[in-house]
Amino acid sequence: MIQDKTAIRNAATVIVLRDRKTAPSILMGQRGAKAAFMPNKFVFPGGAVDPEDAHIPLASELPPVCFDRLGERSELGLQGALAAAAIRELWEETGLVLGQPGSWPEPAPSDWRGFAELGFRPSAEALQFVFRAVTPPGRPRRFDARFFLVDASAICGDLDDFSRASDELSHLQWIPLDRAREFDLPFITEVVLAEIAARVLDPAPPSSVPFLLNQEEESLFLKLKGYPMPLTD
């Protein structure tokens, strides 16, 4: 079956924020010059959801408010796959582990083998859903991308060790948040950076999640508010 490259694919992007209270910086890398999507641009780690992401055994689930908001205007039951995709893409593109020590109940898929061999299972509890955007029409690739913010303190291991990273992103580096706009960024990345800068000292989930929905007919800026949280004893 030939994949339709112009179809909108679900995707997950991870913004790792380091030293948020003192000298905030974010992890970014540069896409290759021959990449079909956003060549040469500096971006956050991320990519499309794979079919097997829906079956990855997470050691911990997404925060409830993020789980609910991810379900708005989305296909049923996509939340776990999005979380797994975010953790997988972070691992593949940077070699950094967002997980908890533990063994897998079944052999890990090939994309996760190195992750599992380190003795970790993927953990979603530190992921905070902060932005969503659909790529505008007319681009060679289109994604319905969910952006997750994670504090670097949740990463296991050395934050400066990118030795296990694939070659999909080059020049991986921690960029001071106030200098990020000096780099060659996609427009949507600049928009997301403004949201992160406004929230850098607030660790709580945002009151609502911005959703930039680009359609053939129009572009809409929506808000995803999630559902009321049930009261607990």
Side-chain angles (χ1 to χ4, degrees), residues 52-73:
E52 67 183 13
D53 289 331
H55 308 291
I56 298 301
L58 298 173
S60 62
E61 301 297 330
L62 287 158
V65 66
C66 296
F67 184 94
D68 288 342
R69 289 172 178 171
L70 284 167
E72 291 187 50
R73 301 178 70 99

Side-chain angles (χ1 to χ4, degrees), residues 183-228:
F183 291 75
D184 186 9
L185 307 175
F187 166 74
I188 193 60
T189 301
E190 295 196 29
V191 176
V192 175
L193 279 172
E195 292 288 329
I196 299 304
R199 301 197 49 76
V200 68
L201 295 178
D202 186 358
S207 58
S208 62
V209 174
F211 179 14
L212 183 55
L213 176 58
N214 290 296
Q215 304 179 101
E216 282 73 7
E217 302 83 6
E218 60 182 342
S219 294
L220 303 173
F221 217 116
L222 309 175
K223 294 287 187 179
L224 304 176
K225 293 186 176 295
Y227 305 108

Side-chain angles (χ1 to χ4, degrees), residues 56-60 84 87 98-100 104 112 115 120-124:
I56 298 301
L58 298 173
S60 62
I87 300 167
L98 184 60
Q100 295 179 7
W104 289 57
W112 291 89
F115 192 105
F120 290 96
R121 287 178 58 191
S123 172

Side-chain angles (χ1 to χ4, degrees), residues 135-226:
T135 310
R139 303 296 173 85
R141 301 284 189 276
R142 295 191 69 193
F143 298 97
D144 187 345
R146 283 73 162 186
F147 292 78
F148 295 93
L149 178 65
V150 62
D151 195 283
S153 62
I155 302 295
C156 300
D158 185 352
L159 292 173
D160 297 305
D161 181 6
F162 305 127
S163 61
R164 298 184 181 91
S166 69
D167 59 359
E168 189 166 346
L169 294 181
S170 61
H171 302 104
L172 282 166
Q173 59 190 287
W174 293 98
I175 299 175
L177 188 57
D178 59 3
R179 290 190 50 217
R181 287 180 177 80
E182 299 174 13
F183 291 75
D184 186 9
L185 307 175
F187 166 74
I188 193 60
T189 301
E190 295 196 29
V191 176
V192 175
L193 279 172
E195 292 288 329
I196 299 304
R199 301 197 49 76
V200 68
L201 295 178
D202 186 358
S207 58
S208 62
V209 174
F211 179 14
L212 183 55
L213 176 58
N214 290 296
Q215 304 179 101
E216 282 73 7
E217 302 83 6
E218 60 182 342
S219 294
L220 303 173
F221 217 116
L222 309 175
K223 294 287 187 179
L224 304 176
K225 293 186 176 295

Side-chain angles (χ1 to χ4, degrees), residues 72-95:
E72 291 187 50
R73 301 178 70 99
S74 294
E75 58 193 80
L76 187 65
L78 187 62
Q79 294 96 325
L82 287 166
I87 300 167
R88 175 181 52 75
E89 289 288 340
L90 180 66
W91 161 251
E92 290 177 349
E93 296 186 352
T94 73

